[in-house]
Amino acid sequence: MSYGDPNNPYGAPQGQQQPQQPPQQGYGYPQQQGQAPGYGYPQAPPVQQPYGAGAPVTTMPGSVSAARVMLWVIVGLQVIGVALFAFAAVALDKAKDDAAFEQFADYPTGALWAFSVFALAWLVWAAFLATKFTTGGNGLRVTTLVFGVITAVLGLYPFTLVGIIHLVLGILIAVFTGNSKGKAWFNRPRY
């Protein structure tokens, strides 16, 4: 190969010696060993994959764990609500017999008992969802999303004054289980 032309853009740089090329391997020349494997650029470290990109999720993400804790907070609030509604219903029944509390005689105690039963049912549903977070699949995720949305709506309308905490907790539960980390957690493979 000749780099004789000084204007050749593919030729050797000006003022430098041509490198000596080893003779071609072939007939009459001994075979030489190739370069050791790994010669050249170093191997790149493995790429970390985010949640949902095929990497198995082995520990519960923080946002999903927070949603679980919020469900347990709702359970505690519902215990207080059941106790208050039941106490109010019993106190109202006792007050109807007393002449000093005739003004409360018109309040229906059946409604208070109904609220107590409803609060108890909500308590059981929240406790069930919270206990199934480690083993539940996508169906539990959807059910928890529905629970969070219904809790937020009920925190707005019938129980506006005391339901503001339920409103915030319901929204956060729905957001934390509905995001990509929640999806990856509930759709993870189970062996």
Side-chain angles (χ1 to χ4, degrees), residues 3 15 37-38 41 75 77 83 87-88 90 116-117 136 140 146 150 157 161-163 184:
Y3 296 109
Y41 292 106
V75 167
L77 292 173
F87 177 75
V90 168
S116 181
V117 168
L140 181 77
V146 169
I150 292 173
Y157 176 62
L161 194 56
V162 294

Side-chain angles (χ1 to χ4, degrees), residues 3-19:
Y3 296 109
D5 185 11
N7 294 327
N8 183 0
Y10 301 107
Q14 296 292 331
Q16 292 185 1
Q17 294 284 333
Q18 296 289 334

